[in-house]
Amino acid sequence: NGLGINFSAVICERLKYHSLARRPLKFCNVSVIYNGKLVVNHLRMEEIEPLKNFEEPIVFEIPASLISRNDPSQKIEMANKKFSKGKLVLRTSSTPFGHGGKRSELNCIDVTGEIGVIASYKISEIGPLRYYPQAQSIYGECECPILEDPEYDCVLNDREKLADNERTQALRWWICSKIDELGAQIAETEQKD
């Protein structure tokens, strides 16, 4: 019936924007069948058109160590012989994501690991941003293998947020600085235009 198809469409829309589903939907063919009928052949999130002059992803290598947020004299290990350096990949959207609706879910940084997305932070949750208006057009992924070291206990079972400890705080602060770095470049381009 029509109600069931509408209900499956709502579920599909929610699934497309869910942090744990975005990556598999990008690389796998997912079909939706309801009551034996094919409702969606290939479930995909729509492509995001990048901001002019920022079409290519910006990649930052995570340093081998970061400064502790609680004690600036202390360094937090972010890579070692067992766990390689991670990276942050930032992308832009020609249309700011805004504060409401499904698209606002994409204005985030997904933290990925060996098993997929291990946490996701809205840009507003990362930290204080000087270029917040420009950050409304930024999204990305952070890959940091050392977070999955059981000794550091950074990954929570719900895979929504990372455990709150010195390592994850230092990483979030570093990510915040890189978002601001890109935000400053966007603001400079806006002023020129």
Side-chain angles (χ1 to χ4, degrees):
N1 67 33
L3 181 62
I5 291 174
N6 287 341
F7 183 67
S8 64
V10 170
I11 291 173
C12 289
E13 281 300 302
R14 291 183 71 194
L15 183 64
K16 286 191 323 187
Y17 292 99
H18 193 278
S19 62
L20 296 176
R22 284 192 295 261
R23 197 166 223 224
L25 289 176
K26 191 175 185 179
F27 299 107
C28 302
N29 287 329
V30 177
S31 297
V32 179
I33 298 171
Y34 179 77
N35 281 345
K37 291 183 180 180
L38 183 66
V39 178
V40 178
N41 193 18
H42 294 287
L43 185 61
R44 294 259 188 269
M45 193 176 70
E46 61 274 359
E47 292 293 320
I48 298 172
E49 183 183 335
L51 197 58
K52 184 181 174 204
N53 299 318
F54 296 92
E55 290 84 2
E56 297 301 315
I58 295 95
V59 180
F60 299 96
E61 184 178 77
I62 300 173
S65 63
L66 295 173
I67 296 170
S68 167
R69 293 280 300 126
N70 300 324
D71 180 3
S73 65
Q74 183 184 356
K75 291 193 174 196
I76 307 291
E77 183 181 61
M78 299 307 290
N80 57 30
K81 290 178 183 176
K82 188 176 175 187
F83 296 97
S84 62
K85 286 183 179 180
K87 66 181 177 180
L88 172 67
V89 179
L90 296 179
R91 293 178 171 84
T92 64
S93 169
S94 61
T95 306
F97 291 108
H99 298 288
K102 294 291 180 213
R103 273 186 55 82
S104 67
E105 301 280 327
L106 302 176
N107 189 213
C108 67
I109 302 295
D110 290 330
V111 182
T112 62
E114 200 172 294
I115 58 170
V117 176
I118 57 175
S120 189
Y121 291 90
K122 292 179 183 174
I123 293 290
S124 60
E125 297 173 325
I126 294 287
L129 293 162
R130 289 180 301 154
Y131 293 93
Y132 186 73
Q134 289 75 20
Q136 292 295 298
S137 294
I138 298 173
Y139 67 105
E141 285 185 0
C142 178
E143 178 186 313
C144 187
I146 203 165
L147 295 176
E148 293 186 286
D149 187 339
E151 184 180 321
Y152 297 128
D153 199 28
C154 294
V155 180
L156 298 175
N157 286 339
D158 65 5
R159 295 191 211 154
E160 287 186 24
K161 303 289 182 242
L162 297 170
D164 190 24
N165 58 39
E166 281 194 295
R167 180 163 281 97
T168 60
Q169 289 171 10
L171 178 63
R172 284 179 34 215
W173 190 257
W174 179 82
I175 291 170
C176 185
S177 73
K178 297 306 169 191
I179 292 170
D180 255 345
E181 197 174 301
L182 178 55
Q185 292 173 21
I186 293 169
E188 187 179 323
T189 302
E190 288 172 345
Q191 287 176 349
K192 285 178 185 174
D193 289 345

